[in-house]
Amino acid sequence: MRAPAAALVAAAALLAVVFGARADPVRGERVFQRCFACHSVAAGEDKLPGPNLRGVIGRRAGTLAAFRFSPALVAAGARGLVWTRETLDAYLADPSLFIPGTEMGLPGLRESDDRRDVIDFLERRTP
């Protein structure tokens, strides 16, 4: 009995190292300050240059009714792109590389910790 339990504990520890601890949504909110000029997470706040990001996790790209997206983003959504933690991470790292032709002006969040924290912040703003 001891060997299987020890193996489970070791496997859990290895997974924690490989996948890392969860991000910090409080820090993510601070990092998201860079995005407030164009984006909001407040319900109904839709008159900004970028789409409202409330509920972005699980949303098909380019489909928020209150926003006019670039043709590149609409096409990505039509091909099945859904915003998950993984796809947001890739997009936020380098938007124009992930979706050529996107109109997002941010060059990207180079630090993986910044991206994880922002994504955790956004995930908590999903109704």
Side-chain angles (χ1 to χ4, degrees):
M1 276 299 206
R2 290 186 142 238
L8 286 175
V9 169
L14 179 61
L15 286 173
V17 169
V18 170
F19 290 105
R22 279 301 277 223
D24 180 351
V26 173
R27 184 177 173 281
E29 184 173 13
R30 286 193 306 270
V31 175
F32 190 77
Q33 296 294 316
R34 302 177 200 173
C35 312
F36 276 146
C38 296
H39 298 281
S40 176
V41 293
E45 194 166 286
D46 299 323
K47 297 191 187 320
L48 291 170
N52 189 305
L53 298 178
R54 181 180 180 83
V56 70
I57 304 287
R59 181 189 305 157
R60 184 178 294 263
T63 61
L64 184 64
F67 190 78
R68 191 174 143 262
F69 291 92
S70 68
L73 204 54
V74 171
R79 287 190 305 272
L81 176 64
V82 173
W83 295 121
T84 64
R85 291 185 70 90
E86 294 78 17
T87 57
L88 278 171
D89 183 63
Y91 183 70
L92 291 174
D94 190 336
S96 60
L97 178 64
F98 189 73
I99 301 178
T102 186
E103 294 177 2
M104 183 150 115
L106 178 75
L109 296 173
R110 300 290 180 221
E111 299 296 323
S112 61
D113 290 346
D114 288 348
R115 293 191 308 273
R116 278 193 307 264
D117 291 346
V118 165
I119 293 166
D120 207 54
F121 168 71
L122 291 173
E123 188 172 52
R124 292 171 189 265
R125 298 311 180 276
T126 298

